[in-house]
Amino acid sequence: MADDLTGRLESEEDPLAIVFVVDAEKTPDGRLRVGREDLFDAAALGLMRLLRDERDEVVDRIALWRDEAIRKIVKRARGAAWHRALAVEHPHVVAHVGDASVMVLAPLRPSEQPRAIREAQVSGLQAEPSGRPARHGALTVHVDEALHMSTGKTIAQLGHAVQLFAERRTLRAERWITSGCAVRVVPGIPAGPHAVEVRDAGFTEVPSGSLTAVIL
């Protein structure tokens, strides 16, 4: 059965969300320095590290977040803004893969966001493929390219997919996590059956009910 992972939010004025902050340093010609492949790998690795974090506050926040809706928000910061984000006291992890650095914060509400996180930008995160091959043990996640999702939106949908995969296919997931949480994001949703399906509630970028990502 498909999953609406961002439902039940319209009635929430201050919903819990895991927040990703991407180091969005740019090249001299204005392009994002990091390629999509490293960025997706770092986001998946950071998320899985956070979900397995044993700090009491992180465990408690994740439990409460699961009871509401597993919402994820992706932001970007660079230069001094990135370093200000890294300095916040709210519990978080930082994952580095290749040229990518991604900070993943334990669930928090918009009203709780430190100023450095609140000021990080939500829109405009677009990374180009680097062309490097997928890393060893990569998990394939299929996304609907017809939806024209931004890189940030794709990270959120990828996060939903790998989280559900880890919860539902525990033996496969344990091997994947042990190998480093690499992912291979490919365009096109193949015919089912699917181990995981992600349907979006339609709050940003895509229509409500869109099938955004699957894992076979």
Side-chain angles (χ1 to χ4, degrees):
M1 181 179 294
D3 298 275
D4 181 350
L5 298 174
T6 50
R8 306 193 308 277
L9 292 175
E10 288 181 322
S11 62
E12 296 179 19
E13 295 181 355
D14 200 23
L16 280 168
I18 283 179
V19 178
F20 297 76
V21 182
V22 172
D23 180 1
E25 195 66 36
K26 293 185 176 181
T27 62
D29 60 358
R31 294 180 295 108
L32 199 65
R33 175 176 54 82
V34 65
R36 286 167 59 96
E37 296 88 347
D38 283 351
L39 192 53
F40 291 154
D41 279 359
L45 177 60
L47 175 63
M48 298 315 299
R49 284 179 176 170
L50 183 75
L51 293 175
R52 292 188 163 206
D53 196 305
E54 296 182 351
R55 285 175 286 179
D56 289 343
E57 183 178 358
V58 176
V59 171
D60 291 345
R61 284 180 173 273
I62 287 176
L64 183 59
W65 169 74
R66 288 180 185 275
D67 287 342
E68 293 190 7
I70 58 171
R71 190 181 192 196
K72 300 177 179 71
I73 298 171
V74 181
K75 296 190 169 193
R76 60 184 173 86
R78 63 190 178 102
W82 166 250
H83 291 289
R84 286 195 296 270
L86 291 178
V88 302
E89 295 183 358
H90 187 83
H92 61 273
V93 300
V94 182
H96 305 283
V97 176
D99 291 331
S101 296
V102 178
M103 177 186 190
V104 189
L105 293 100
L108 73 170
R109 302 185 186 281
S111 62
E112 296 179 302
Q113 290 184 11
R115 181 176 178 179
I117 304 304
R118 189 170 61 251
E119 292 180 348
Q121 300 298 305
V122 175
S123 62
L125 181 62
Q126 291 286 0
E128 299 298 324
S130 68
R132 73 151 171 84
R135 298 180 186 276
H136 174 72
L139 176 67
T140 299
V141 181
H142 301 266
V143 299
D144 187 354
E145 78 280 14
L147 295 172
H148 304 293
M149 294 184 289
S150 67
T151 301
K153 183 70 172 180
T154 303
I155 288 172
Q157 304 309 300
L158 166 69
H160 294 329
V162 298
Q163 179 184 347
L164 287 176
F165 173 77
E167 293 171 355
R168 296 179 180 177
R169 297 292 188 268
T170 54
L171 292 179
R172 285 178 60 195
E174 196 60 39
R175 292 193 295 270
W176 171 65
I177 292 169
T178 299
S179 71
C181 301
V183 291
R184 175 175 174 260
V185 177
V186 299
I189 303 291
H194 307 130
V196 168
E197 294 183 343
V198 177
R199 291 191 181 273
D200 194 75
F203 294 111
T204 61
E205 294 195 25
V206 302
S208 178
S210 296
L211 181 60
T212 55
V214 305
I215 296 173
L216 301 183

